[in-house]
Amino acid sequence: MLSIENLSKVYQNGTHAVGGLDLSVEPGAIVAIVGASGCGKSSLLRIIAGLELASSGVVKIDGIPLDGPHDRIGVVFQEPRLLPWLTVKQNVGFGLAHLPREERLYRAELALLLVGLSNKANAWPRELSGGQAQRVAIARALVSRPDVLLLDEPFSALDAFTRADLQRHLLEIWRGSESQPTMIVVTHDLDEAVALADRIIVMRPDPGRIIAELPVNLARPRHRAQPGFDAVRHRLVALLDRRSADAALRSA
Amino acid sequence: MTDILSDTEARKHRDARSALFERAGGLRNVPLAVGLILPLSLALVWELAVAAGLSSGRLLPPPSVIIQTLGALWGQGDLSGHALTTLWRVLVGFGLGVAAGTIAGAITGYSRGIARVLDPTVQALRAIPSIAWVPLFILWFGIFELSKITLIATGVFFPVYLGTMDAIRSVDRKVVEVGLVHRLSSPAMIGRIMLPAILPAYVTALRSGLGLGWMFVVAAEFMGASRGLGYLLIDGQQLGKPAQIVAAIITFAVLGKLTDSILVAVTRPLLRWEDRFGQRADSRAAANRQEVA
Ligand SMILES: Nc1ncnc2c1ncn2[C@@H]1O[C@H](COP(=O)(O)OP(=O)(O)O)[C@@H](O)[C@H]1O
Ligand SMILES: [Mg+2]
């Protein structure tokens, strides 16, 4: 159980990126976070990941406060961030240095199999396409079997086809892993949010906070033509619209 | 260095680069030996000109005489002796310069605070043409090995220092974060992220340092040596033996190229992952840097 209590972040330049945010995510749930650019989504994820210090508030896993990067939390960034000096397989095994070599390679190969890239195990990262590289990044994050997987706009740099492909892939992997991790996915793609999430969190800036939450009770596997999909999407658009209407009022 | 761009951007770069690569492919297929055509023809023309009596060849001896001189020097065991002396000086000076430059560059690269204290002084010292140290080094360390090696190490120090500091500072924060989320300890962060990330720039710095080492050994041996290729140069000048001078110059060139190639060959396996236009662009960049230095 991941819980965030009264979390705030004020950067040194005075930007109030997150202001008093509360959120609990039950184990194995998929939560999507949407909101205009600059509303603190990345800041929130970076604090959970331990890459940024909170100004106040706490992030807890099973009641234990976190104070930095944690081995039960995996991260997938917007860019693959593969280490160019390691082969694909070595990249996947990067977080398993504490394991004996055999076990490490076995797990890395297994993870590559899951993301469908066994044939690229010995390739260099520069030899991969954008979508393949991001799949390797997902494999790298999953290989240490985290309880929580954070993804910050993981597919936004990809073309629409690759993106849909990877969303499907991500869900398959998630379903296939022995302990399904909690996933928090930041996205600006509303279809992606509806396709992936059990709950969609809508954030608003200045300071970054949650203004609405939308449960998504659609059957899986989901697809865009499914009954109910558009209804959820419309409610989301309305929520976001209200947001921009408010913003227009405020700046007038 | 590792440019971690957004994904599509990175792919665009890759595509552009491979297109360039293919266009240059025509040139790449030209055998290496074509590079020999120009110098060999010039040598041949000069040989013929001297043979035909168009020139006495007194100031610039024809290739045959130079080869004879090289052979004679080699035969007496002189050339290898002088060359080894010079090589030894370069290697010791290079080793010391690299050690000092790497340590100092690593410290100032890591710590902005220390850099603020240390770097202005180093930069000021760098502005001094290193040859200007010669009289002082002779006063301090005498005319024997110590002053020579100090001078060479001084020359090697600066490019290695700058290269190391720059390389560390320009390591991508995004790559460092990958280490952070995997909870690397400080030594692991250095060994698994920082070292591999700076390696390409560091090797370039080492090559610049080595080039300067070869430049400075000549200056060092001009300041009174009884052995070494620099001594052969001075000796040739004083006794009016241009063939000996040219022979020494050629030996310098061969040794300089040889040591650089060894450095490249030793480090290449570590840099296989690099995504670069090609060796050609590499060596040109290295050569430019040497000229600037
Ligand atoms: N390192 C930083 N220093 C100062 N301000 C920052 C930093 N990172 C983000 N911000 C600011 O915090 C706010 C939220 O940013 P971010 O979390 O990246 O939003 P989002 O991911 O939702 O687009 C923005 O106003 C941004 O300019
Ligand atoms: Mg963001």
Side-chain angles (χ1 to χ4, degrees):
Chain A
M1 174 80 137
L2 177 75
S3 59
I4 295 163
E5 294 166 18
N6 195 23
L7 192 75
S8 291
K9 175 70 188 177
V10 182
Y11 284 106
Q12 289 207 317
N13 64 6
T15 309
H16 204 161
V18 182
L21 187 146
D22 292 289
L23 178 69
S24 315
V25 185
E26 53 283 21
I30 306 180
V31 173
I33 301 181
V34 298
S37 159
C39 70
K41 306 181 296 289
S42 295
S43 301
L44 174 61
L45 243 56
R46 290 173 57 81
I47 294 170
I48 302 174
L51 290 173
E52 208 79 65
L53 276 177
S55 307
S56 64
V58 280
V59 178
K60 294 180 181 167
I61 286 193
D62 295 337
I64 303 159
L66 306 184
D67 60 349
H70 198 281
D71 55 7
R72 289 172 65 187
I73 298 184
V75 184
V76 176
F77 298 96
Q78 182 170 351
E79 329 78 19
R81 300 200 188 183
L82 302 182
L83 304 176
W85 53 85
L86 298 181
T87 64
V88 164
K89 199 201 291 182
Q90 290 167 336
N91 263 287
V92 173
F94 187 78
L96 302 178
H98 55 285
L99 295 179
R101 193 187 135 80
E102 317 258 281
E103 163 116 31
R104 185 169 68 230
L105 292 183
Y106 171 74
R107 283 230 230 156
E109 275 162 19
L110 203 65
L112 277 174
L113 191 69
L114 272 176
V115 296
L117 282 175
S118 295
N119 56 337
K120 297 286 184 187
N122 295 314
W124 295 108
R126 65 178 146 90
E127 294 163 338
L128 301 179
S129 73
Q132 290 171 336
Q134 195 61 306
R135 266 144 77 190
V136 175
I138 292 172
R140 178 177 65 186
L142 284 172
V143 77
S144 30
R145 299 174 187 157
D147 293 329
V148 178
L149 184 61
L150 307 172
L151 305 100
D152 191 355
E153 309 207 15
F155 310 134
S156 63
L158 305 175
D159 62 85
F161 286 116
T162 316
R163 199 184 309 160
D165 197 40
L166 255 68
Q167 288 162 7
R168 196 176 37 75
H169 235 88
L170 179 65
L171 284 178
E172 276 168 16
I173 297 165
W174 175 77
R175 202 170 316 121
S177 35
E178 35 202 286
S179 62
Q180 284 157 5
T182 305
M183 288 206 284
I184 303 186
V185 191
V186 167
T187 177
H188 59 237
D189 177 347
L190 300 187
D191 282 335
E192 180 164 289
V194 180
L196 295 178
D198 299 313
R199 291 158 68 191
I200 301 176
I201 307 276
V202 183
M203 282 181 68
R204 166 187 293 197
D206 303 316
R209 61 200 187 279
I210 297 172
I211 56 155
E213 188 181 325
L214 196 65
V216 186
N217 297 313
L218 299 173
R220 297 175 185 274
R222 296 178 186 160
H223 47 90
R224 273 128 189 92
Q226 173 176 4
F229 194 100
D230 273 339
V232 178
R233 198 182 183 289
H234 283 143
R235 288 184 58 196
L236 199 52
V237 170
L239 280 170
L240 287 162
D241 258 3
R242 192 170 352 128
R243 191 210 70 80
S244 44
D246 284 359
L249 267 180
R250 229 179 326 132
S251 63
Chain B
M1 264 278 333
T2 61
D3 30 328
I4 291 175
L5 306 165
S6 85
D7 220 52
T8 38
E9 224 173 310
R11 208 160 6 141
K12 239 182 282 164
H13 268 255
R14 252 189 320 247
D15 291 349
R17 262 182 292 185
S18 53
L20 260 176
F21 207 77
E22 266 145 37
R23 222 175 307 147
L27 279 176
R28 299 203 120 231
N29 294 334
V30 175
L32 283 177
V34 290
L36 293 173
I37 294 177
L38 185 62
L40 285 184
S41 331
L42 286 176
L44 188 65
V45 167
W46 188 239
E47 185 74 49
L48 293 176
V50 174
L54 294 176
S55 164
S56 69
R58 217 156 25 86
L59 289 180
L60 180 59
S64 55
V65 176
I66 294 170
I67 292 167
Q68 263 171 30
T69 309
L70 272 173
L73 280 171
W74 184 264
Q76 298 155 16
D78 268 7
L79 189 59
S80 53
H82 288 297
L84 279 178
T85 302
T86 299
L87 185 64
W88 181 81
R89 287 174 181 146
V90 171
L91 293 185
V92 174
F94 179 69
L96 292 175
V98 166
T102 304
I103 292 171
I107 291 173
T108 50
Y110 262 114
S111 160
R112 293 273 165 179
I114 296 179
R116 240 166 259 144
V117 176
L118 205 62
D119 194 48
T121 308
V122 178
Q123 297 293 349
L125 289 177
R126 189 171 77 102
I128 301 169
S130 302
I131 310 291
W133 291 110
V134 168
L136 205 53
F137 284 175
I138 291 180
L139 277 182
W140 286 350
F141 306 122
I143 56 164
F144 298 111
E145 292 310 310
L146 188 54
S147 58
K148 293 182 175 55
I149 284 169
T150 309
L151 183 66
I152 297 166
T154 306
V156 173
F157 172 83
F158 289 102
V160 174
Y161 166 81
L162 282 181
T164 308
M165 180 174 70
D166 275 355
I168 291 178
R169 284 190 181 169
S170 51
V171 170
D172 196 331
R173 182 183 50 80
K174 295 179 169 181
V175 174
V176 175
E177 284 183 359
V178 171
L180 287 178
V181 299
H182 286 96
R183 308 205 310 154
L184 297 189
S185 61
S186 301
M189 185 66 102
I190 292 172
R192 299 180 64 198
I193 302 276
M194 299 304 280
L195 281 184
I198 70 167
L199 199 58
Y202 184 63
V203 169
T204 307
L206 289 186
R207 291 178 69 188
S208 304
L210 186 60
L212 282 177
W214 280 104
M215 252 165 75
F216 278 70
V217 75
V218 180
E221 291 181 342
F222 278 3
M223 62 199 211
S226 53
R227 301 203 49 78
L229 294 171
Y231 161 79
L232 278 188
L233 292 176
I234 295 283
D235 185 63
Q237 180 216 330
Q238 283 169 350
L239 303 181
K241 297 191 282 192
Q244 180 178 319
I245 297 179
V246 177
I249 290 176
I250 290 175
T251 314
F252 264 123
V254 169
L255 285 179
K257 179 68 193 158
L258 197 68
T259 47
D260 184 62
S261 305
I262 291 174
L263 188 58
V264 171
V266 168
T267 51
R268 180 169 298 150
L270 299 172
L271 297 176
R272 259 178 320 153
W273 51 272
E274 270 196 298
D275 188 9
R276 287 225 186 168
F277 176 58
Q279 205 56 44
R280 210 178 285 251
D282 267 12
S283 42
R284 209 178 311 132
N288 284 341
R289 257 188 299 278
Q290 270 182 36
E291 273 159 34
V292 172

